[in-house]
């Protein structure tokens, strides 16, 4: 298969960009396919970033004779321009959505209607979670199938006894990803403040990139609440460093309101970390299938209450049992097989 992966914005690295890199590596090493990745540069699009978007569109036009199929990662409304251009170039196009119901293009009735109309040009829609059919609307004329998301190759395969859980009596909390309000970063900080006021021993770690304004707000919150000895800001970590870090944690607090199918939750379970998430369809699916806890609208109070009552040994046991099950399901061989079926328009129900 000669496949062009289209999507993502490397300058704003997040789950989609990681997904594209892992997919290319798996398809090349396991499937022995010819694969190239063309970023769209559409995330957080502003006037000054439009030239990068147009350069990618022009590059797509120039490559029309080199690739037989195109796999579009649909993150936001501008990505659908690449669907139209790709179709004009004669590509067989499979679209995988990475957005949720709370994203602007979905919450706006006008943009949602236009998006559905543009998606009619796709040959197939490949979903990474069955919950996306509950959240998003798709044109009924376009066939849908299910694929599996790409996690780090070795995740979930570590023997239980090698996970480096602490014996210091403290609960170790993690929050990871692109640090922002939408990702639940400040809700995590508020949870930490509640635990500190209640006298619960814990250590908390934030891993990920943040823009200067967000970083300043994080530092101010920590200082104002005298949490310097409790909360540790690690900054961005490499994939390997993040997995090592997660393997030492007990709980991931991911109170995001925007993630449709958060990779970091699956990654944490694969590292034997118990996730707590807001009750969104993708996160609930993960928790119900493996382990974890979901909270409602009063997320800070509910999370703090759960952690204050939680038995650390029970949490660790649940996560340790879930890790190998997740690793088996998301092994790269199975992910590649599901994607091959989707790209070749074969019937596939691998996600069910």
């Amino acid at each position: 298969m000669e496949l062009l992966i289209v999507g993502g914005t490397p300058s704003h690295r997040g789950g989609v960009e990681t997904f594209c890199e892992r997919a290319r590596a798996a398809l090349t090493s396991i499937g022995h396919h010819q694969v190239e990745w063309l970023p769209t540069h559409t995330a957080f699009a502003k006037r000054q970033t439009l030239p990068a978007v147009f350069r990618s569109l022009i590059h797509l036009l120039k490559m029309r004779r080199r690739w037989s199929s195109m796999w579009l990662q649909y993150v936001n409304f501008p990505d659908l321009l690449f669907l139209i251009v790709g179709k004009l170039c004669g590509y067989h196009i499979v679209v995988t959505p990475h957005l949720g119901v709370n994203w602007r293009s979905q919450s706006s009735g006008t943009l949602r209607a236009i998006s559905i109309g543009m998606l009619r040009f796709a040959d197939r829609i490949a979903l990474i979670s069955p919950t996306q059919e509950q959240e998003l609307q798709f044109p009924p004329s376009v066939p849908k199938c299910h694929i599996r998301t790409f996690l780090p190759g070795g995740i979930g395969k570590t023997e239980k006894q090698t996970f480096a859980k602490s014996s210091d009596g403290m609960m170790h909390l993690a929050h990871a990803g692109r640090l922002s309000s939408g990702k639940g970063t400040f809700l995590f900080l508020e949870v930490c403040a509640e635990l500190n006021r209640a006298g619960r021993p814990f250590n908390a770690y934030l891993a990920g990139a943040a823009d200067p304004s967000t970083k300043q707000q994080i530092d101010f919150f920590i200082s104002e609440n005298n949490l310097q000895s409790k909360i540790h800001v690690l900054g961005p970590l490499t994939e390997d460093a993040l997995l090592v870090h997660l393997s030492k944690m007990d709980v991931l607090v991911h109170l995001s309101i925007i993630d449709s199918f958060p990779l970091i939750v699956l990654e944490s379970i694969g590292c034997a970390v118990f996730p707590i998430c807001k009750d969104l369809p993708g996160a609930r699916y993960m928790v119900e299938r493996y382990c974890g806890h979901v909270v409602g609208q009063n997320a800070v109070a509910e999370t703090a209450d759960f952690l204050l009552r939680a038995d650390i040994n029970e949490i660790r046991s649940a996560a340790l049992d879930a890790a190998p099950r997740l690793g088996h399901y998301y092994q790269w061989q199975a992910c590649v097989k599901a994607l091959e079926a989707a790209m070749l328009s074969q019937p596939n129900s691998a996600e069910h």
Side-chain angles (χ1 to χ4, degrees), residues 97-170:
H98 294 267
L99 68 172
V101 69
N102 291 325
W103 293 47
R104 185 170 62 179
S105 62
Q106 298 303 303
S107 58
S108 165
T110 300
L111 287 178
R112 186 170 63 250
I114 296 173
S115 300
I116 294 171
M118 295 173 77
L119 282 170
R120 291 191 179 97
F121 290 93
D123 293 288
R124 186 165 260 223
I125 295 172
L127 305 172
I128 57 176
S129 166
T131 59
Q132 290 180 306
E133 293 188 72
Q134 304 169 22
E135 288 189 90
L136 307 173
Q137 296 181 31
F138 302 105
S141 59
V142 180
K144 293 184 290 294
C145 63
H146 295 275
I147 59 175
R148 305 185 187 196
T149 194
F150 287 85
L151 300 179
I155 203 163
K157 296 180 181 178
T158 307
E159 294 296 327
K160 289 184 180 182
Q161 60 268 26
T162 65
F163 286 112
K165 305 304 178 183
S166 172
S167 58
D168 60 9
M170 288 194 179

Side-chain angles (χ1 to χ4, degrees), residues 137-212:
Q137 296 181 31
F138 302 105
S141 59
V142 180
K144 293 184 290 294
C145 63
H146 295 275
I147 59 175
R148 305 185 187 196
T149 194
F150 287 85
L151 300 179
I155 203 163
K157 296 180 181 178
T158 307
E159 294 296 327
K160 289 184 180 182
Q161 60 268 26
T162 65
F163 286 112
K165 305 304 178 183
S166 172
S167 58
D168 60 9
M170 288 194 179
M171 183 175 287
H172 295 262
L173 310 177
H175 176 75
R178 187 181 297 141
L179 306 182
S180 67
S181 177
K183 292 283 189 176
T185 300
F186 295 99
L187 296 180
F188 172 68
L189 294 175
E190 291 179 26
V191 169
C192 293
E194 289 289 330
L195 295 178
N196 191 52
R197 283 191 284 270
R200 178 69 153 99
F202 73 95
N203 274 317
Y205 301 84
L206 288 86
D211 61 63

Side-chain angles (χ1 to χ4, degrees), residues 266-281:
L266 291 176
E267 290 167 350
S268 71
I269 296 170
C271 292
V273 181
F274 186 96
I276 300 177
C277 312
K278 289 208 72 170
D279 193 4
L280 297 178

